[in-house]
Amino acid sequence: MLNTLSLVVDGECFSSLQIPGDCSTVGEWKRSFGKLVPHAAKLACSDGRKPLGEDARLPRPPGKLLVEGPPEAVKALVPILKRQLSLLTTRAASAPDSGSQRGGNGD
C-alpha cells in the first residue's frame, strides 16, 4: 500500500500525495526534500489541533498536515507538491478502468 499524505500549504490543499516509503515522521518528511526546499527544517507542521514536533508521526488520511514557514520555503514547496499532484492525476487518468477490464458493467 502506498504511503500517502494530505497537506495544506499556503491555503492550498494537496490530497493523497505519495510520500517516500521510509518517511513516517514530520522530520523525515522535511528532510526528504533535501536541497529542493530552502529552510525546510524551519517549516512548522501541525495536525490542525496541535503543533507536531520532528519526531511526531505523520497524520494518516483523512487527517491533514498543515504546513507553515518561511516564505522562501513555502514558495519552493508548493510547486513541488503541485508537480507531484499533477503526476498522480495524469497517471490516474491514463490508468485503464478496472471495471471494463473485467468485462463488468454491473450486469
Side-chain angles (χ1 to χ4, degrees):
M1 182 171 166
L2 292 175
N3 290 328
T4 61
L5 179 65
S6 294
L7 300 109
V8 177
V9 181
D10 201 26
E12 292 188 60
C13 186
F14 299 92
S15 295
S16 299
L17 293 178
Q18 186 176 345
I19 57 173
D22 58 345
C23 286
S24 61
T25 67
V26 170
E28 291 169 343
W29 177 77
K30 288 181 193 181
R31 287 187 294 277
S32 74
F33 291 104
K35 296 182 182 198
L36 295 174
V37 177
H39 309 293
K42 294 182 180 181
L43 291 171
C45 300
S46 76
D47 64 3
R49 294 172 295 186
K50 64 183 182 303
L52 299 175
E54 296 293 301
D55 294 329
R57 304 225 17 108
L58 291 169
R60 293 243 181 232
K64 289 183 171 58
L65 183 69
L66 282 65
V67 182
E68 299 177 329
E72 58 273 12
V74 172
K75 186 177 179 181
L77 180 60
V78 168
I80 292 169
L81 299 176
K82 283 183 177 180
R83 187 169 45 250
Q84 186 181 6
L85 188 60
S86 173
L87 289 172
L88 288 173
T89 304
T90 302
R91 279 190 218 141
S94 65
D97 179 11
S98 60
S100 63
Q101 283 184 342
R102 292 184 211 140
N105 62 0
D107 290 343

